[in-house]
């Protein structure tokens, strides 16, 4: 009931600190109800309407945490592959820059493979291998990238992926 009331109020009252407070509380309630996508959309409205306030606010951190939970937490099992990819496309800028982000991107790649979006999956995984990952994780991602290229009928690209992800310290 509180979510419905605050949602209505968030559209009725606009433009000042009260709107930000309403959006913050609405997003927190949505997080509490495990409506991560709804919370992200609410927090995004707050960030768009009050960009200056976001510098000293915890909303950006909550958004990043909720985004990561969509793909690596319990909520990921409830999302269809299509919903997961749509949410990734909508909020990709929230991908954490740390190991959580690597796990998010790995999960997104697997969801793309489920839908036979091999071109998108290989593109995303290739950027992971080239720019984000190191060590054994990079070699494993390179092997996965090679397997996706083979599924896509591109054996030359598979060989290049294996060569590009080779790590001297990995057996």
């Amino acid at each position: 009931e509180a979510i419905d009331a605050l949602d209505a109020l968030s559209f009725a009252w606009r433009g000042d600190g009260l709107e930000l407070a309403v959006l913050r509380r609405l997003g927190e309630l949505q997080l509490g109800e495990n409506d991560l996508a709804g919370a992200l959309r609410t927090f995004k409205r707050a960030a768009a309407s009050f960009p200056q306030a976001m510098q000293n606010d915890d909303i950006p951190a909550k958004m990043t945490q909720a985004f990561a939970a969509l793909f690596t937490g319990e909520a990921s099992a409830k999302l269809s592959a299509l919903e997961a990819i749509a949410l990734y496309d909508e909020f990709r800028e929230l991908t954490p820059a740390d190991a959580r982000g690597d796990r998010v991107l790995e999960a997104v790649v697997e969801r793309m493979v489920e839908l036979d979006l091999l071109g998108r999956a290989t593109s995303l995984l290739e950027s992971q291998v080239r720019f984000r990952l190191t060590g054994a994780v990079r070699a494993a991602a390179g092997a996965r990238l090679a397997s996706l290229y083979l599924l896509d009928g591109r054996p030359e690209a598979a060989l290049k992926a294996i060569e590009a992800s080779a790590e001297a310290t990995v057996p």
Side-chain angles (χ1 to χ4, degrees):
E1 289 176 10
I3 288 173
D4 291 338
L6 286 173
D7 192 34
L9 183 59
S10 74
F11 287 102
W13 192 277
R14 309 284 297 202
D16 63 6
L18 180 60
E19 180 187 5
L20 177 58
V22 166
L23 290 172
R24 179 184 295 112
R25 184 66 182 134
L26 176 59
E28 289 168 354
L29 288 172
Q30 289 168 320
L31 285 177
E33 289 294 312
N34 225 10
D35 179 10
L36 301 177
L40 284 172
R41 288 185 181 105
T42 298
F43 287 147
K44 188 174 186 176
R45 280 179 40 208
S49 297
F50 302 96
Q52 313 87 332
M54 292 303 111
Q55 295 174 7
N56 299 320
D57 203 300
D58 63 342
I59 287 177
K62 287 180 180 182
M63 290 176 74
T64 300
Q65 185 176 5
F67 179 78
L70 272 173
F71 298 98
T72 61
E74 294 174 12
S76 66
K78 297 176 185 173
L79 289 177
S80 72
L82 187 59
E83 289 172 316
I85 293 169
L87 286 169
Y88 171 75
D89 286 342
E90 186 176 353
F91 298 106
R92 77 178 62 200
E93 70 277 1
L94 297 175
T95 304
D98 56 13
R100 289 179 308 154
D102 297 338
R103 289 190 301 274
V104 165
L105 292 173
E106 180 182 329
V108 170
V109 164
E110 294 309 318
R111 294 303 190 101
M112 288 176 178
V113 171
E114 283 179 43
L115 294 176
D116 202 27
L117 298 172
L118 297 178
R120 286 192 65 191
T122 55
S123 176
L124 185 58
L125 194 53
E126 187 175 291
S127 71
Q128 282 281 94
V129 169
R130 292 174 104 192
F131 304 113
R132 280 183 70 119
L133 303 175
T134 59
V137 177
R138 181 173 184 235
R144 179 63 176 143
L145 177 59
S147 72
L148 294 180
Y149 278 134
L150 289 174
L151 283 173
D152 202 22
R154 300 170 58 194
E156 298 84 16
L159 285 173
K160 288 180 182 178
I162 294 288
E163 292 169 0
S165 64
E167 294 279 338
T169 58
V170 177

